[in-house]
Amino acid sequence: AVELNLACPNVIGKPIIAYDFDQMGAVLAAVSNLGGVPPLGVKMPPYMDGPHFERAAQVINKYKGMVKYVASINTIGNAFAVDIAAEMPVISSNGGFAGLSGRAVKYTALANVKKMRDLLDPSIDVVGVGGVETGADAFEMILCGASAVQVGTCHWNEGPKCFDRICDELRAIMVEKGYGSVDDFKGKLKPWSKEGAAIARAAKKA
């Protein structure tokens, strides 16, 4: 598959394509007109507002014959970090403004995975991206509807050994819960309930 990144926040002076839904549709139309396009994935930016989720899904669904998956999310744009010792931005380019990734974006990523899975055509897979550092993180993404996950910041920090560790941790959770395959729990997030809350409190005390 080829992944089309419509979500990069790091092209200086240019807006994120997938925040402009007309432009997003125009880009996908142009790609569809090329002919002979290999299986296509679309990297999505983080959406924060309900109508934006809906508009984005409408655009993607229009090209469901071409788009096989979306990867949610790319980094959250225009984060800023300060180096106290040097009293300057940590990042050299773009005046220090850059995309935020890793643990800090996990809950935004989970929300985007859940929303995209709810709104997209069932033929389009969702790949969960953002803050996946453990098997539990991967489990949460899959439970919210992700068919797969991507790992970026953790790989940068830990190296390729993180992949086996995350997979082993995920398998351990599945065994503990009695799941024989990912399909046993993929997209099967339960609604909030008092019974579930009691289970959560008991688990924290164990």
Side-chain angles (χ1 to χ4, degrees), residues 42-199:
V42 177
K43 191 65 168 285
M44 304 290 280
Y47 295 108
M48 310 290 184
D49 197 14
H52 293 166
F53 288 113
E54 293 170 5
R55 286 290 306 281
Q58 287 170 0
V59 173
I60 295 292
N61 282 336
K62 184 177 178 180
Y63 296 93
K64 64 182 180 181
M66 178 179 69
V67 177
K68 303 305 179 185
Y69 74 90
V70 299
S72 289
I73 57 175
N74 206 334
T75 57
I76 298 176
N78 289 314
F80 197 87
V82 174
D83 187 305
I84 293 177
E87 300 181 13
M88 67 178 189
V90 171
I91 302 296
S92 61
S93 63
N94 197 29
F97 291 90
L100 179 67
S101 64
R103 174 62 53 179
V105 307
K106 174 186 166 184
Y107 299 107
T108 300
L110 282 170
N112 276 257
V113 167
K114 181 67 170 67
K115 282 286 192 178
M116 286 296 107
R117 182 63 282 154
D118 289 345
L119 295 169
L120 288 175
D121 188 89
S123 66
I124 302 172
D125 287 327
V126 178
V127 177
V129 191
V132 177
E133 298 180 350
T134 68
D137 296 329
F139 184 87
E140 291 175 17
M141 288 283 190
I142 297 167
L143 193 64
C144 286
S147 296
V149 301
Q150 289 181 7
V151 179
T153 302
C154 183
H155 174 259
W156 178 267
N157 291 329
E158 187 178 334
K161 64 182 181 180
C162 72
F163 298 123
D164 285 341
R165 176 184 59 75
I166 291 170
C167 287
D168 288 344
E169 291 172 359
L170 176 59
R171 289 191 194 97
I173 292 171
M174 292 172 61
V175 168
E176 180 181 353
K177 289 179 170 290
Y179 294 133
S181 74
V182 166
D183 287 335
D184 290 342
F185 63 94
K186 184 176 71 176
K188 296 179 180 179
L189 185 70
K190 300 171 184 176
W192 190 94
S193 67
K194 291 182 178 179
E195 294 78 11
I199 292 171

Side-chain angles (χ1 to χ4, degrees), residues 30-45:
V31 173
S32 70
N33 289 334
L34 293 174
V37 177
L40 187 71
V42 177
K43 191 65 168 285
M44 304 290 280

